[in-house]
Amino acid sequence: MVKNITIFTTNTCAYCVMVKRFLDTKNHTYDVVNLDEQPERQAEALALSGALTVPVTVVTKDDDTREVIVGYNLSKLAPAIA
Amino acid sequence: MANTTDLPKHDVIIVGAGPAALSAAIYTTREDIETLLFERGVPGGLAAITDWVDNYPGFVDGVAGLELATALQKQAERFGAVIELGEVFSITDEGDWKRLDTTSGDMLAKVVLIATGSDYKKTGAPGEQEYFAHGVHYCATCDGAFYRDKRLVVIGGGNSAVQEAIFLTRFATHIDLLVRSTIKASDVLQTDLQKFIDEEKITVHLNTTIDEIVGEDGSVVKVAATKDGEPTDFPTDGVFVFVGLSPNSQFVKDLVELDEIGLIIADENLMTKVPGIFAAGDIRSHATMQIASATGEGATAALKIREYLEGRKHPAQN
Ligand SMILES: Cc1cc2nc3c(=O)[nH]c(=O)nc-3n(C[C@H](O)[C@H](O)[C@H](O)COP(=O)(O)OP(=O)(O)OC[C@H]3O[C@@H](n4cnc5c(N)ncnc54)[C@H](O)[C@@H]3O)c2cc1C
């Protein structure tokens, strides 16, 4: 089961909107870290994803295991939240 | 291969959900023509990943690309357009029906509109592939924020390169714009660019070709280039590449006629050489590569599709 979801986004990122819409359609709530508003958390996004890009979606499960999905990648995101 | 009669059937399938496709869908669905769109990326297409659109009619102060794309999508969905997030791999002409091989399996449509636009071209330089998303990028609105207070290189001299270089100045301390020959961007953009050159935020390097994107410890550190025939290094934290677009037409290259750069040739009704298969927007040969023209062509294609479908119902009217 999913415990919580965090999405790292920016104001102008279209693929971030797609991730949010997808999670909305699956009735998942999520926290948003907007890197335009919180640039100090950029290093955290980079450490999690290993890539200089957004969206980065972090799905934490009930057993505290984490799955990090880089970009708008439904083939990874869909099973991660199932 | 499944028997044709067992396959899902649609009146119209639109390949892509960019501005051309969404506008066509607004028109077809509003006229009760059932329409399914396939989108392998983001609805809104290139418009959705463009920071700011200043020249789309009706917006006095311009509009964010993402906002325009979202509005087009919602408008199409309001009339009943269905957008499936998936890809069309190929299309086969079976006469009255067109068969599409898609991520959701094979399906049939009476009419297909190809509105697949283009994708960013790569430079092919060593290091480009290796450092993709780790210092090499193709989408400023997606990845620009990672370069706050950093130095950047932007490669290209057309509208997109200049527009995106200007956008990236909101993050980067300085941008070297590497241009193979001369700047080809519109006069308006060149005037805007001059302001940033004067402020020493952007330096333009003409006659500059890139040889390699060089990294150290997993990060990009410089672009090795040749400027005016001399090897020249451009130290940088990241590289954004905007060297043109490559048409998304490979999946229909054996079906429709393509021009020498791979754009789809269509007649004045926006129909390709295959009856029932139309093309609109950036993917059409001689398109003007603007959102306003793409939406206009989408509307025209929809009206021509309606005529085509009615013509099929009432052949005597032809
Ligand atoms: C950086 C940049 C800035 C720009 N700025 C402006 C501007 O300020 N003003 C302006 O008017 N124009 C601008 N443009 C041009 C404008 O974005 C395009 O002209 C317009 O988006 C074209 O619309 P389209 O629907 O034809 O194609 P696209 O927007 O390219 O949409 C095509 C869609 O089809 C999808 N697709 C492709 N192949 C398949 C397949 N096989 N299966 C499923 N889906 C598929 C793609 O994922 C894409 O979403 C800009 C372009 C760029 C790159």
Side-chain angles (χ1 to χ4, degrees), chain B residues 215-255:
Chain B
E216 261 172 35
D217 303 329
S219 304
V220 167
V221 292
K222 69 175 181 187
V223 173
T226 303
K227 183 179 174 183
D228 296 324
E230 295 293 321
T232 312
D233 282 350
F234 295 93
T236 189
D237 298 299
V239 181
F240 283 77
V241 180
F242 303 102
V243 291
L245 296 165
S246 121
N248 291 321
S249 57
Q250 281 305 301
F251 74 117
V252 286
K253 70 177 184 340
D254 299 324
L255 178 71

Side-chain angles (χ1 to χ4, degrees), chain A residues 9 15 33 45 51 56 75 81-82:
Chain A
T9 70
Y15 294 97
V33 179
V56 174
S75 62
I81 59 159

